[in-house]
Amino acid sequence: AQKITQTQPGMFVQEKEAVTLDCTYDTSDPSYGLFWYKQPSSGEMIFLIYQGSYDQQNATEGRYSLNFQKARKSANLVISASQLGDSAMYFCASFTVQGGSEKLVFGKGMKLTVNP
Amino acid sequence: NAGVTQTPKFRVLKTGQSMTLLCAQDMNHEYMYWYRQDPGMGLRLIHYSVGEGTTAKGEVPDGYNVSRLKKQNFLLGLESAAPSQTSVYFCASSYSGSLPASEQYFGPGTRLTVT
């Protein structure tokens, strides 16, 4: 069964600094995808970045990059030059297709607070 | 484009009452999903649909039913609400359900309280 672990309940970072949000996953499927979503206090879920298990390079999207270490089963999100608007909950999720059944499994999330 | 919309935004039910949550998307997506989010938890998949007229169970389907009569709409029903169903419900849609996975677009959520 898929499992996503986000062990950091909360983190604080100074504006303009970089921050790494940890995510480890557990899946036996050879093919899978990894997502990061942001949930600000307003409640909506915002897609940030995606990494496929067979992608050769780490994914990047603007200030977001994914530090994908397949052997360690980790998919950490790196946010460079933090902004006040980055304060939010962040969720890591894994996607697999098992027997024709698509599954996106989310971690419990972690709260990032960016201080001025 | 409106993206994914959900109706209603808030609802309070008494135990045993029924209700239907409506999700609509205007992106012509084949795949649609219903999740619930409880405090301190990530999202958990209730049911999903891979196309018009199809539905499938997710991780926590008990107490819920769904229907996808039109491609753009995905309905979530609670036949007899229980306090354990107090949660925030999110609908999502995506273009593809295979790998490489495509982004799921989420609605704004429905906050449901069952007393």
Side-chain angles (χ1 to χ4, degrees):
Chain A
Q2 293 167 261
K3 184 178 179 181
I4 294 286
T5 302
Q6 295 180 257
T7 57
Q8 307 154 306
M11 285 189 71
F12 295 86
V13 66
Q14 288 298 121
E15 193 177 8
K16 300 182 183 178
E17 292 185 350
V19 62
T20 298
L21 311 184
D22 295 342
C23 171
T24 58
Y25 59 93
D26 186 8
T27 178
S28 56
D29 296 306
S31 298
Y32 51 89
L34 297 158
F35 289 88
W36 276 92
Y37 280 85
K38 171 185 177 182
Q39 187 177 42
S41 58
S42 53
E44 71 269 30
M45 296 291 288
I46 302 168
F47 165 76
L48 295 178
I49 198 166
Y50 170 78
Q51 177 84 43
S53 59
Y54 288 111
D55 292 343
Q56 294 297 313
Q57 294 187 326
N58 287 347
T60 59
E61 291 281 354
R63 294 187 299 111
Y64 305 108
S65 61
L66 204 151
N67 184 1
F68 181 47
Q69 298 187 40
K70 197 171 182 177
R72 299 179 64 180
K73 293 192 173 181
S74 74
N76 299 339
L77 177 70
V78 181
I79 305 175
S80 63
S82 299
Q83 301 173 355
L84 296 178
D86 294 334
S87 294
M89 288 290 295
Y90 288 81
F91 293 92
C92 179
S94 70
F95 181 91
T96 63
V97 180
Q98 297 174 321
S101 174
E102 299 81 10
K103 293 189 176 184
L104 184 64
V105 175
F106 285 82
K108 293 184 178 182
M110 62 83 59
K111 185 175 182 180
L112 176 67
T113 302
V114 180
N115 294 318
Chain B
N1 286 345
V4 180
T5 58
Q6 293 182 231
T7 309
K9 289 186 169 55
F10 303 93
R11 185 71 186 267
V12 178
L13 286 180
K14 293 186 178 179
T15 299
Q17 288 185 321
S18 64
M19 78 162 294
T20 299
L21 281 66
L22 171 63
C23 175
Q25 53 95 4
D26 62 2
M27 295 172 283
N28 202 33
H29 286 168
E30 289 291 340
Y31 292 76
M32 296 187 75
Y33 312 83
W34 276 107
Y35 295 90
R36 62 178 288 173
Q37 184 179 27
D38 300 301
M41 303 281 289
L43 277 68
R44 292 183 293 168
L45 183 64
I46 304 171
H47 287 281
Y48 66 100
S49 168
V50 302
E52 182 178 320
T54 74
T55 62
K57 293 181 180 179
E59 182 185 354
V60 287
D62 294 342
Y64 306 96
N65 57 75
V66 288
S67 64
R68 182 102 179 266
L69 299 179
K70 293 183 178 180
K71 186 177 183 178
Q72 64 267 33
N73 295 337
F74 195 28
L75 278 63
L76 177 71
L78 286 74
E79 290 187 346
S80 180
S84 61
Q85 294 178 304
T86 294
S87 188
V88 179
Y89 292 84
F90 286 96
C91 177
S93 71
S94 67
Y95 173 73
S96 167
S98 60
L99 290 166
S102 59
E103 169 193 351
Q104 291 189 12
Y105 294 80
F106 284 82
T110 294
R111 187 174 295 275
L112 174 66
T113 302
V114 183
T115 60

